[in-house]
Amino acid sequence: MLNPKNSFKAVAVFCLFISAASCGILQPSDSGSEEPPPTPEAASNIPFLTKEPEVFQANVLVEAYGLDGAAVVRKYFIARNGSNLLVRIDEAGEDERSLVRLESGESFVVFPKSKTYRRARASFAADEIVREVTAGWLSATPGTRFEKISTEEGISKYAVELEGEEGSETFLYYDEKLAYPVRQEMFSTFEGKTKLVFRYSVSAFKLEADKELFKIPKEFKES
């Protein structure tokens, strides 16, 4: 039986990171120079590609559930075209904002409702978030084991045995045509009941991203 405390701890840490990253990008730019953190390498035991394409766009939904069924939900729209990068958070929601990084290396936080924007604290903030909400965070530890269960309509389903979480129920769905993981679900058994505690899903994935997506509207004012 999976220890639910360990699973919920992992999910909670993940959600806290996302919240912190989202808040962190709202900080004004500082004068000090910062070097971007190294991109983590995927463990060699992952039986499929996890590197994101140079040009793509997709919706990403991250859901974490407590024992009472309450959910923490994060919605993202992500687009990349070479060095141009867009991360839209809470699209159409009350707190909608976007982080845009341009080929020049400049980064901006854009607030559609107020039609304003400001310079981001660090130029690599967008990459940090993308690594967490796309395939990058799926990198496994050397002790993680994958077993292919089935392939239906081009989607392969893997059972994943996480290191230190023997007996857990974790499943990953990989789109063979896109060469991209499109869903991961984690289940926990508590008091005889198996419940979904975490789900990551990708939709509307396209191997294209119009450069207009990365432009700040002319009518927006810097704040």
Side-chain angles (χ1 to χ4, degrees):
M1 180 182 296
L2 170 66
N3 183 343
K5 292 183 179 179
N6 292 337
S7 296
F8 288 127
K9 181 179 179 181
V11 171
V13 169
F14 176 81
C15 290
L16 282 173
F17 180 94
I18 293 300
S19 298
S22 300
C23 294
I25 66 174
L26 304 183
Q27 299 298 323
S29 59
D30 49 41
S31 57
S33 61
E34 297 183 61
E35 292 296 326
T39 301
E41 295 293 333
S44 60
N45 58 321
I46 299 179
F48 45 76
L49 298 174
T50 61
K51 183 180 179 180
E52 67 187 37
E54 287 297 315
V55 180
F56 81 101
Q57 66 181 54
N59 295 321
V60 177
L61 181 66
V62 181
E63 305 163 273
Y65 297 87
L67 289 174
D68 59 356
V72 175
V73 179
R74 296 287 184 267
K75 297 179 181 180
Y76 303 87
F77 171 78
I78 297 174
R80 181 189 294 277
N81 192 321
S83 298
N84 291 314
L85 182 61
L86 166 68
V87 182
R88 189 177 297 151
I89 304 168
D90 193 27
E91 187 171 21
E94 289 297 319
D95 298 320
E96 180 182 352
R97 66 268 195 207
S98 299
L99 181 61
V100 180
R101 191 193 65 197
L102 307 179
E103 289 179 332
S104 63
E106 295 178 291
S107 292
F108 302 91
V109 184
V110 182
F111 303 90
K113 287 199 170 184
S114 63
K115 293 186 176 181
T116 60
Y117 68 92
R118 66 177 64 167
R119 294 182 182 275
R121 177 179 58 83
S123 62
F124 57 85
D127 291 289
E128 290 181 342
I129 296 177
V130 169
R131 274 198 297 269
E132 291 302 315
V133 299
T134 61
W137 74 269
L138 290 172
S139 297
T141 60
T144 302
R145 291 190 288 273
F146 296 82
E147 179 185 354
K148 182 183 284 191
I149 298 175
S150 63
T151 299
E152 297 182 10
E153 298 183 354
I155 305 295
S156 294
K157 179 180 180 180
Y158 289 85
V160 184
E161 185 175 329
L162 303 175
E163 187 176 24
E165 291 285 356
E166 290 78 7
S168 66
E169 293 185 302
T170 299
F171 301 98
L172 186 142
Y173 299 79
Y174 185 79
D175 190 312
E176 299 288 351
K177 183 178 180 180
L178 295 175
Y180 203 80
V182 292
R183 188 163 87 249
Q184 180 168 333
E185 297 175 331
M186 179 186 292
F187 295 86
S188 176
T189 300
F190 183 67
E191 294 183 348
K193 296 182 179 180
T194 300
K195 295 184 178 181
L196 176 69
V197 296
F198 175 78
R199 179 163 53 212
Y200 156 93
S201 53
V202 175
S203 62
F205 189 99
K206 298 179 181 179
L207 291 172
E208 58 185 60
D210 195 309
K211 289 192 175 183
E212 293 296 319
L213 286 169
F214 310 97
K215 293 183 178 180
I216 299 175
K218 293 181 179 180
E219 66 271 21
F220 282 33
K221 296 182 179 179
E222 186 169 3
S223 61

